[in-house]
Amino acid sequence: MTDTSSIDPTSWEKSAPADRETDGPLDESEANPVRPYVDLGGVKILPREGLHLRLEVEEETQRVVAVGLDYANSTLQVQPFAAPRSSGLWHEIREQIAEQVERQGGRTSVRDGVFGPELVAEIPVAAAQGPGGETRVARFVGVDGPRWFLRGVIAGDAAVKPDAAALVEDLFRSIVVVRGTVPMPPRDLIPLRMPTAPPTGDETLSV
């Protein structure tokens, strides 16, 4: 593993698809304002048939800390974070996730995906969730945008089956990040909230 202890964190390059500004994930300034997004504060989600939204809430503070999207027999968890204007977070965060997974007895590998480098993790399943020795596969993806970083965790069919993967990758592409103008330290979670209006169409929402 490369020794990164002497690298200035502000020097990390941004990691994003070359077509991010047109194909997503989009910044609020790049999105079509007339599209019927579900507004969750730090992110906006484009409704689609078969999509189920879940808000993950921290028990102690009742703060929404992540958005869960169930789609195509898969799950996609997304979190938006504040980031520096000129440097990215994904390269450093990816290494930290790998270290956490390995401490839990799992294995990780890095591969080139549609969003750039992604981390594929084999994570041990807890005894209560399945027979001992079983693992589940999860894909960690990340995109550095203008003053924000969007992290996604993909599990289920989209972690292992190409057809489902393409559908969930398109879902991740369709997300709009709303950074806002309030100063925030890098790595702080951009506030998420319940939608200002109930979802419309074929998607459903739960907390």
Side-chain angles (χ1 to χ4, degrees):
M1 179 179 292
T2 303
D3 180 11
T4 60
S5 58
S6 61
I7 298 176
D8 179 357
T10 62
S11 68
W12 292 111
E13 292 182 357
K14 286 183 180 290
S15 176
D19 56 0
R20 185 208 62 76
E21 294 182 16
T22 54
D23 289 5
L26 298 174
D27 183 72
E28 183 183 27
S29 65
E30 299 158 345
N32 185 335
V34 301
R35 300 193 81 176
Y37 289 105
V38 179
D39 186 353
L40 301 171
V43 295
K44 293 181 178 180
I45 307 295
L46 191 64
R48 60 185 66 199
E49 184 176 356
L51 175 62
H52 179 75
L53 308 181
R54 290 177 292 102
L55 299 183
E56 301 182 18
V57 178
E58 192 174 59
E59 187 173 348
E60 290 184 5
T61 64
Q62 292 300 297
R63 180 179 69 139
V64 179
V65 294
V67 176
L69 305 171
D70 297 334
Y71 186 61
N73 292 320
S74 309
T75 60
L76 169 63
Q77 182 205 62
V78 296
Q79 291 178 296
F81 298 92
R85 186 180 301 275
S86 57
S87 58
L89 297 178
W90 181 225
H91 294 302
E92 184 182 12
I93 287 176
R94 193 172 63 249
E95 290 189 1
Q96 293 171 349
I97 294 170
E99 291 171 359
Q100 291 171 0
V101 170
E102 287 161 14
R103 281 201 299 268
Q104 296 170 10
R107 296 183 299 175
T108 63
S109 60
V110 178
R111 70 181 184 190
D112 288 329
V114 296
F115 306 108
E118 67 175 57
L119 191 71
V120 181
E122 294 181 45
I123 303 170
V125 175
Q129 298 175 308
E134 282 194 5
T135 61
R136 64 182 178 90
V137 178
R139 295 169 55 198
F140 292 83
V141 297
V143 171
D144 289 304
R147 298 174 60 242
W148 53 258
F149 165 70
L150 183 66
R151 192 187 82 164
V153 185
I154 300 170
D157 284 0
V160 293
K161 296 182 179 180
D163 288 350
L167 292 171
V168 173
E169 287 161 3
D170 181 68
L171 176 62
F172 190 68
R173 284 267 199 184
S174 73
I175 294 172
V176 174
V177 180
V178 183
R179 168 62 179 82
T181 58
V182 177
M184 294 177 65
R187 294 172 170 268
D188 271 17
L189 183 70
I190 299 172
L192 298 163
R193 63 165 186 260
M194 291 286 290
T196 52
T200 58
D202 294 298
E203 83 287 357
T204 56
L205 172 69
S206 65
V207 177

